[in-house]
Amino acid sequence: MTSQPTTKTTEKDREGPGEPGAHGSGLQAGLKNRHLSMIAIGGVIGAGLFVGSSSGIATAGPGILLSYALVGTLVVLVMRMLGEMSAANPTSGSFSAHADRALGSWAGFSIGWLYWFFWVVVLAVEATAGAVILEGWIPAVPQWAWALIVMIVLTATNLVSVGSYGEFEFWFAGIKVVAIGAFIVIGGLAVFGVLPGVDSDQAGFGNLTEHGGFLPHGAGAILTGVLLVVFSFMGSEIATLAAGESENPQQAVTKATNSIIWRVAVFYLGSILVVVSLLPWDSKSITEDGSYVAALDSLGIAHAGQIMNFIVLTSVLSCLNSGLYTASRMAFSLGQRGDAPKAFARTTSNGVPRTAILASVAFGFVAVFFNYKFPDSVFLFLVNSSGAVALFVWLVICFSQLRMRRIIQAEAPEKLVVKMWLYPYLTWATAALIVFILGYMLTDTEHDGRTTISLSLLVAAVVLVIAFVKQKVRGGRRPADATAAPADRSDEVSAG
């Protein structure tokens, strides 16, 4: 293990979250409590939940609930670890900054750039998905133009201030939360047969055990289902990155961490339970129309497809908005630590890392171009090679927390306001489960799991080589203006 560099506290680090700084002084606290609350709630509801759940249901039947429960438990545990580290030291670099200090600069560099790569590819995926919906409503505007418009508008909101990002995300996430909440209530009433004006003979909990049983394709389908749903949970960590620009970072992280259990239980397990109770899991409408559209159609709700298109579009815009924000803040943090061009760490007078935002969206535009010109070659490679990054991130969080707990306990034990349960045993168990899932992906040829993990490992290996070469060249030393561990907004924790 490499030796850890000493943390230096600079005047910039000591700048309070509410103090207006000069041009280039750093990020500022522009996110309000209501913004952080909705980012935390909405961040766990990705467009993948609405779009991708149908394939999971078709693969595992009602047993997909166990797949969601397994991955949901994994996310809760990982978020608990991340919450422990981020509550003690809120930073825009989040897990990358923690890995930098706990494991070495190679770890912070590698996972930071892989995470940035993941989100800029997501920008292209989501921009294209949104453009497909918008073109269906207004066909006079070509699909590529809609993708361009969406990217430009959300880039502009991110460039104005962090507050404008927070405001847009507040309403995007609010629509998602209200929509899925209404779906659960209406669907639940139908399942219990008390929804007025709806005659749905096929709805009921009997659908969970009929039509081949709860596990019609056997217990092995649960793990296959895990591979199909695991990536829809990516985004739950965004609240810990955004907390660094809030009025009370420690409180925001603590609240987001403590609420993750009910968010996963309600939005994922609750909504999927409603879907597989309203309809038989093998209903053709689930795969043809999508699980949520099919569920709404079964209740006789008019224009179900268009309603769901609107909700999916909102989720896509939310994902785009947060993806650009997240990628730019990770680039900013990498720039601060000397792992990216210094320009990435410069901010405007409003505390916006303009260069980091523009660089991130530029790569997003290139990826969109590849999606239209080379969808089955270059773009497919980008998507597959970034596909397993979520699991890599979670694994690094596990190993970082194992070491950071000891560091925090030795230097500032009062900052352990959030603690991982049953440390270190549950941390090791979580890491083992993630490794098992990665290994199982190598056996999956039907759903491209082997291709995804192989290409993701290839890209990760390239980034790791660059990280070690970079570390060797500079001899384990940071540039004079970089910090090994980004500053805490309250009292600086020295790395001594």
Side-chain angles (χ1 to χ4, degrees):
M1 182 172 293
T2 57
S3 59
Q4 298 306 304
T6 301
T7 300
K8 295 181 180 179
T9 307
T10 65
E11 290 301 318
K12 178 180 70 177
D13 294 337
R14 285 192 288 266
E15 184 179 320
E19 299 174 17
H23 181 82
S25 63
L27 303 178
Q28 297 177 10
L31 293 176
K32 300 177 181 178
N33 288 335
R34 65 182 178 88
H35 292 155
L36 261 295
S37 296
M38 198 56 73
I39 289 170
I41 295 172
V44 80
I45 310 173
L49 174 63
F50 300 109
V51 178
S53 55
S54 56
S55 60
I57 294 172
T59 299
I64 194 66
L65 287 166
L66 297 180
S67 302
Y68 274 105
L70 185 60
V71 179
T73 301
L74 188 62
V75 171
V76 168
L77 295 174
V78 170
M79 278 296 294
R80 187 75 183 182
M81 298 177 217
L82 182 56
E84 176 182 294
M85 296 184 289
S86 296
N89 184 25
T91 168
S92 60
S94 189
F95 50 84
S96 174
H98 303 320
D100 189 295
R101 187 178 181 201
L103 306 177
S105 59
W106 64 270
F109 177 97
S110 302
I111 206 64
W113 277 113
L114 284 172
Y115 190 70
W116 179 87
F117 174 58
F118 170 84
W119 279 110
V120 293
V121 172
V122 166
L123 292 181
V125 173
E126 300 296 341
T128 303
V132 170
I133 296 174
L134 289 167
E135 186 189 32
W137 291 344
I138 308 177
V141 179
Q143 192 180 118
W144 66 265
W146 277 123
L148 186 66
I149 292 169
V150 166
M151 292 273 276
I152 289 174
V153 169
L154 293 180
T155 300
T157 64
N158 274 266
L159 285 173
V160 172
S161 69
V162 68
S164 62
Y165 154 73
E167 198 62 32
F168 267 73
E169 190 57 25
F170 175 81
W171 291 106
F172 287 153
I175 292 172
K176 288 192 294 185
V177 170
V178 170
I180 202 165
F183 174 82
I184 292 172
V185 171
I186 294 172
L189 292 174
V191 170
F192 285 104
V194 294
L195 185 65
V198 172
D199 181 21
S200 182
D201 295 333
Q202 61 183 349
F205 290 118
N207 285 323
L208 298 177
T209 54
E210 298 170 0
H211 308 280
F214 186 71
L215 293 170
H217 296 149
I222 297 173
L223 288 176
T224 305
V226 165
L227 303 184
L228 296 174
V229 306
V230 66
F231 306 111
S232 65
F233 282 83
M234 194 66 166
S236 55
E237 73 291 332
I238 292 175
T240 64
L241 281 88
E245 294 176 81
S246 67
E247 297 165 351
N248 191 332
Q250 189 179 75
Q251 182 185 39
V253 169
T254 303
K255 186 176 180 180
T257 302
N258 291 336
S259 65
I260 186 69
I261 296 176
W262 71 260
R263 285 185 279 143
V264 169
V266 172
F267 296 127
Y268 278 87
L269 294 179
S271 64
I272 295 298
L273 175 61
V274 167
V275 170
V276 294
S277 298
L278 285 175
L279 287 168
W281 69 270
D282 53 356
S283 172
K284 289 184 179 180
S285 60
I286 290 180
T287 52
E288 292 175 355
D289 303 327
S291 52
Y292 289 82
V293 172
L296 291 175
D297 274 335
S298 73
L299 300 179
I301 295 178
H303 309 294
Q306 291 304 319
I307 293 173
M308 191 51 58
N309 274 339
F310 173 75
I311 296 170
V312 170
L313 178 63
T314 303
S315 296
V316 163
L317 295 177
S318 172
C319 193
L320 260 174
N321 195 37
S322 288
L324 182 54
Y325 170 84
T326 305
S328 65
R329 268 39 176 197
M330 185 57 72
F332 170 84
S333 178
L334 289 166
Q336 272 195 320
R337 289 177 270 143
D339 289 335
K342 290 182 179 180
F344 284 11
R346 298 193 190 112
T347 58
T348 66
S349 57
N350 289 332
V352 174
R354 181 167 54 199
T355 304
I357 291 174
L358 293 176
S360 300
V361 79
F363 193 96
F365 278 127
V366 171
V368 169
F369 170 77
F370 285 146
N371 193 14
Y372 285 110
K373 293 295 291 183
F374 312 105
D376 298 323
S377 54
V378 180
F379 187 72
L380 186 61
F381 170 81
L382 291 176
V383 172
N384 284 331
S385 61
S386 65
V389 167
L391 293 168
F392 296 162
V393 167
W394 295 347
L395 192 60
V396 168
I397 289 173
C398 292
F399 291 126
S400 298
Q401 189 265 339
L402 286 168
R403 180 166 169 80
M404 279 300 294
R405 166 68 76 89
R406 297 196 296 270
I407 294 174
I408 299 169
Q409 282 178 326
E411 298 177 356
E414 71 278 2
K415 294 193 174 188
L416 280 173
V417 293
V418 176
K419 289 185 178 181
M420 176 59 182
W421 307 295
L422 297 177
Y423 169 86
Y425 309 108
L426 203 49
T427 302
W428 279 111
T430 304
L433 178 58
I434 295 171
V435 171
F436 174 77
I437 293 173
L438 287 169
Y440 187 77
M441 287 181 70
L442 288 171
T443 68
D444 176 47
T445 55
E446 184 180 354
H447 302 97
D448 296 327
R450 179 178 295 177
T451 301
T452 298
I453 190 63
S454 299
L455 291 178
S456 295
L457 285 172
L458 174 63
V459 171
V462 171
V463 175
L464 274 171
V465 168
I466 295 172
F468 281 118
V469 169
K470 194 176 194 307
Q471 181 173 278
K472 187 175 180 63
V473 168
R474 69 184 181 194
R477 294 186 300 275
R478 291 288 187 190
D481 60 344
T483 55
D488 190 327
R489 283 290 175 90
S490 50
D491 298 317
E492 175 70 6
V493 179
S494 175

